[in-house]
Amino acid sequence: MKKVTISTLLKMKQEKQLITALTAYDASFAKLFDEQGIDLLLIGDSLGMVLRGDDDTLSVTIENMAYHTRSVRQGVERAFVVADMPFMSYSTPEQAYLNAAELMRAGASMVKVEGGAWLLETIKGLQERSVPVCGHLGLTPQSVHVFGGFKVQGRDDLQAENILEQAKQLEQAGIQLLVLECIPTDLAEQISLALSIPVIGIGAGAKTDGQILVMHDMFGISANYMPKFSKNYLSQTGDIRKAVQQYIQEVQEGEFPSAEHSFN
């Protein structure tokens, strides 16, 4: 199978082929997911919660992310690899440049940052320095204490308008991919139609250009809790490979997420 690049993902959006994505944290699972045909793997700072059992992602360091990025890259031949920039690793543009370079050297093809307008200068600078960037709006887990918990965002008109505007600003600044987390389905659809870049949803309904899940949630083995927007594919199939295959199939056919995994 041909290697997936950002051009591949853009073409998929243009041709209305839905993108499939999962998190991964080591070579073994990365290889398994890659062999089943997953399009994108994210080394998420969610590792703080699902690997270490933390209450949030804030304790994850750039060293942690580089270690797991290097591990995942060892298992990948085809999938596009994105790595999270962890909490406070990109608070200034200069800091972002140094930390993004570490993740790219570890094997990432793109780095992901959480936030809106305050990141525009940083995103432009990263692009100018040959670092592709994925944005992340809606429920941004690194801001959990600002939100007062893991809460759905964009339910009122003003907040929804703000998220849409920030998405447009991020695209203008140079992001090539956007993750939308825990926002209403209609808002996610509006953003996906407004942007020319691929938009990947998690808890954002079925009207985005693709879906991503945390692998531990998909297998029903997360240390803390199972979010509403996830689905336990392992309990349905009894086999890890079949679970991944079913997830990919349901995303590609628009069957997942259904209404019960989405927000209004």
Side-chain angles (χ1 to χ4, degrees):
M1 293 183 285
K2 287 184 65 176
K3 191 171 182 62
V4 177
T5 67
I6 191 60
S7 298
T8 310
L9 300 176
L10 181 59
K11 185 179 180 183
M12 289 178 73
K13 176 184 175 97
Q14 293 167 345
E15 295 180 353
K16 301 190 184 308
Q17 298 178 36
L18 294 172
I19 297 163
T20 61
L22 285 169
T23 65
Y25 312 95
D26 63 36
S28 296
F29 275 107
K31 186 173 189 292
L32 187 151
F33 298 158
D34 192 58
E35 288 174 346
Q36 307 317 306
I38 205 80
D39 299 313
L40 184 152
L41 290 175
L42 170 68
I43 303 94
D45 58 2
S46 49
L47 68 88
M49 300 178 74
V50 297
L51 297 187
R52 298 200 304 224
D54 294 342
D55 291 332
D56 53 45
T57 65
L58 305 189
S59 66
V60 177
T61 66
I62 193 70
E63 291 79 15
N64 297 151
M65 293 305 306
Y67 172 86
H68 287 280
T69 298
R70 196 169 290 111
S71 299
V72 167
R73 172 52 73 184
Q74 289 295 105
V76 172
E77 292 187 9
R78 174 184 175 272
F80 190 70
V81 176
V82 182
D84 267 341
M85 297 276 283
F87 179 64
M88 293 299 285
S89 68
Y90 50 100
S91 57
T92 67
E94 292 72 21
Q95 185 186 35
Y97 305 154
L98 293 173
N99 287 324
E102 187 165 349
L103 295 182
M104 296 294 284
R105 282 193 291 266
S109 296
M110 176 178 279
V111 299
K112 182 168 76 63
V113 294
E114 297 181 8
W118 69 275
L119 279 170
L120 300 182
E121 179 186 352
T122 296
I123 290 165
K124 289 176 183 176
L126 285 168
Q127 288 284 66
E128 289 168 355
R129 289 159 178 79
S130 303
V131 178
V133 183
C134 173
H136 186 151
L137 292 173
L139 171 57
T140 47
Q142 291 173 20
S143 302
V144 61
H145 295 303
V146 175
F147 296 147
F150 294 96
K151 299 179 178 179
V152 178
Q153 303 296 304
R155 275 184 158 156
D156 65 74
D157 290 344
L158 184 61
Q159 196 178 60
E161 186 177 324
N162 184 44
I163 294 172
L164 173 59
E165 184 57 34
Q166 289 189 87
K168 293 176 179 178
Q169 290 174 348
L170 290 175
E171 182 178 33
Q172 285 186 323
I175 66 165
Q176 294 177 279
L177 199 65
L178 178 65
V179 171
L180 295 176
E181 181 168 357
C182 288
I183 65 171
T185 299
D186 57 351
L187 174 59
E189 180 180 17
Q190 190 178 1
I191 293 170
S192 301
L193 292 172
L195 302 189
S196 61
I197 61 172
V199 176
I200 310 296
I202 177 167
K207 300 297 185 180
T208 54
D209 304 307
Q211 301 293 328
I212 185 167
L213 285 179
V214 173
M215 57 165 280
H216 293 69
D217 293 343
M218 192 194 75
F219 295 143
I221 57 172
S222 288
N224 293 318
Y225 75 103
M226 177 69 71
K228 166 188 164 69
F229 56 73
S230 191
K231 181 177 178 180
N232 187 343
Y233 282 93
L234 184 56
S235 68
Q236 294 186 331
T237 61
D239 179 87
I240 289 176
R241 288 173 177 81
K242 288 180 180 177
V244 177
Q245 291 165 8
Q246 185 173 329
Y247 167 68
I248 290 172
Q249 181 179 337
E250 289 190 8
V251 171
Q252 290 176 339
E253 294 177 359
E255 295 177 8
F256 178 83
S258 63
E260 67 179 293
H261 306 111
S262 308
F263 303 100
N264 296 319

